[in-house]
Amino acid sequence: MQLTYVLILAALLFCIGIYGLVTSRNAVRVLMSIELLLNAVNLNLIGFANYLDGQQIKGQVFAVFVITVAAAEAAVGLAIILAIYRNRQTVDMEKFNLLKW
Amino acid sequence: MLQSFADTVWLIPFYSLAGMVLSLIWSPGMTRKTGPRPAGYLNLLLTFFSFVHALLATVAIANQPPQYLHWTWLDVAGLHFDVPVEISILTTTALMLITGLNLMAQVFAIGYMEMDWGWARFFALLALFEGGMGALVLLDSLFFNYVMLEILTLATYLLIGFWFNQPLVVTGARDAFLTKRVGDLVLLMGVLAIYPLAGSWNYDDLAAWAATAQVDPTLITLICLALIAGPMGKCAQFPLHLWLDEAMEGPVPASILRNAIVVGTGAWVLVKLTPVLSLSSVALTGLLVIGSVTALGGTLIAIAQVDIKRALSYLVSAYMGWVFIAVGLKEPGLAFVFILTYGVAMALLMMSIGSIIWNSITQDLRLLGGLWSRRPISGISFLVGSAGLLALPPLASFFPQAELLDTAFAQLPWVGVVLLLMNAFAAFSLGRTFCLIWGGEVKPMTARSPEVFWPMILPMTVDLGLVLHLPILMGRFDWVIWTDPSLTTAAALTLTAILGWGAAAWVYLGRAIPKPVQFPLPSVQDLLAYDFYTPKLYKATVVGAVDMISRMTAWFDRTLVDGTGNAFGGATLLGGDRLKYSTTGQSQAYILTILMGVALLVIAICWPLLA
């Protein structure tokens, strides 16, 4: 059990999140991918806090804040998706291309 | 008192200039109450002042050495140019000739332009002519003479194009301008090339330099040939002679001036350059060849013309060719005297035929005839004018021509033969014109052709008296150093003139030859009548070449130059058009782009660390 493994795991999780973020057609799955990204970040923070900063564990404090902000972001994001859905009757990301060309 | 007239002789061109500017008052918008005529009277008055001034100045400095005045024109960065003015018997005499003939032409114009509404413009242009010529003879510098030649080119253009609603007038004016410009451009090269060598443009300095100059013969030959090119265009020498023929579309009073003295301004510059031209034997031979070809060709073409003014215009070329020959034989003094005597006689001829044209409706020699009983004054004027132009003693032109003939036979006999032939042909041409207009039977066009009214007759008779008295005047004022021509020369010249005239009278008055006269070889007759096919030659060579080159450059300009610029514009347009498809409108695509960009940036920044 080393820091490197933790970091690699977090990076893989981040990549999966990015993949989901870019490829998903469903807007809710995009939000869920963002949650994956934030969780990958939290893993990094906690990993660094454990191995490098055992005394003051600033990383854990950051992780608490990130979880908080993630919750708020999910709430706002879902609200936005609901608002869009009410207007356009769809959550397909490929239909939201008003700025095309 | 008299001396002050001589000292202020440089004012004379300014009289004309003032007249020209003041003519503006009678421009078309302002002539409702006065009509345009006051402009003419004003210019006439100012020309009269100029003439009196020049006359008094001539009397004042009759036996004095030349004086020189200088004004600084340009003084910059070690370069210093003066405006040099020469006040001598030569320049005041030339001024007197210019202003005197202008006075006559303007009085003539009052009659000739009787019904024309362009008086202000016409007289202003005559004033520009006069001022340009006056300044040309006063300014003692090749460079400033070049400037004046250009002003005269412009004035010629405007005067030929006076009746600008006729297509032939427009092309005539254009051709005159362009032909002279061709000569002037080459002249400018010569003018600029000679300055670094001689260090001055003043004629005296040039003559002093030429007396001892050691220059590369090729270089000086080229410069001399360039210097000849300007007068060639001005004096309508072969092959730049076509413009003078076309210039005959202009009004007669302007043609009087042009044929009598304006062509002489080119000759004036040439004569002043004699010391420089003497440096190159090739240039002297060139002058002789050009002069001879023009003298013979011009007189021969004149014989075949059916238009009165054209018949005389080719004689103008021919007699300017005579001046070229004189300079080629290094006789500048004779050339100056001949310019004077020629101007007076040619003006008389032009005024005479101008009065014929004015009320005979036609200019076609074949349609005229039998005017002797109706138009005796014009007829006598033409006779005296032609006698004054031909080498007939005791009239003034005889003396320079006889002396040149003596020189020619002593140096180059073939030139002498050319001069004699020219005299005979010119006599034939003038005799033919006279016989066709005044001899023979009355034709429909001449049945109602009385003598014209006084403004045209007055200058004619005054000039007639002048032509007759010119030898006396010239002896009186010491304008010429008389030498006695040998008896054989005098006899030869007189004989050729009388023979030529007599032959014309026999052909055109007698009944031996059917009219219209057909030459045994029609091709030769056509060759002369169509002016050696010069217009076609121009069209095929120079005009055609310029046309082709301009088409090619236009193609190059449109396709290659414009094409390159347009290609850049097109590429940008196309690029924008294609690149806009990167704006998909999908936020996920934007996110991907941002992430890739950030990743690339990070790699680029960290590359040195990793390596």
Side-chain angles (χ1 to χ4, degrees), chain B residues 472-497:
Chain B
I472 303 170
L473 280 175
M474 283 161 63
R476 182 80 190 274
F477 277 98
D478 273 347
W479 282 333
V480 198
I481 303 137
W482 298 106
T483 54
D484 290 325
S486 66
L487 196 63
T488 39
T489 317
L493 278 173
T494 316
L495 204 65
T496 45

Side-chain angles (χ1 to χ4, degrees), chain A residues 18 21-24 30 93-94 96-101, chain B residues 580-592 595:
Chain A
I18 289 290
L21 176 75
V22 173
T23 55
S24 313
V30 172
M93 286 296 280
E94 297 199 354
F96 306 149
N97 56 359
L98 273 177
L99 290 178
K100 191 178 184 179
W101 302 327
Chain B
K580 76 181 179 192
Y581 295 117
S582 65
T583 311
T584 56
Q586 299 209 12
S587 36
Q588 284 168 307
Y590 299 158
I591 291 167
L592 183 64
L595 281 169

Side-chain angles (χ1 to χ4, degrees), chain B residues 205-258:
Chain B
D205 299 343
L206 282 177
W209 166 77
T212 57
Q214 297 291 326
V215 277
D216 182 25
T218 322
L219 178 67
I220 195 67
T221 300
L222 286 174
I223 291 179
C224 287
L225 289 177
L227 291 176
I228 292 171
M232 243 172 91
K234 276 279 161 203
C235 297
Q237 299 297 294
F238 280 35
L240 298 178
H241 63 288
L242 187 63
W243 71 267
L244 191 63
D245 166 68
E246 293 187 52
M248 293 300 120
E249 298 290 342
V252 169
S255 302
I256 294 173
L257 283 180
R258 184 173 319 107

Side-chain angles (χ1 to χ4, degrees), chain B residues 261-273:
Chain B
I261 39 180
V262 177
V263 289
T265 56
W268 172 277
V269 173
L270 188 74
V271 178
K272 283 234 169 190
L273 283 173

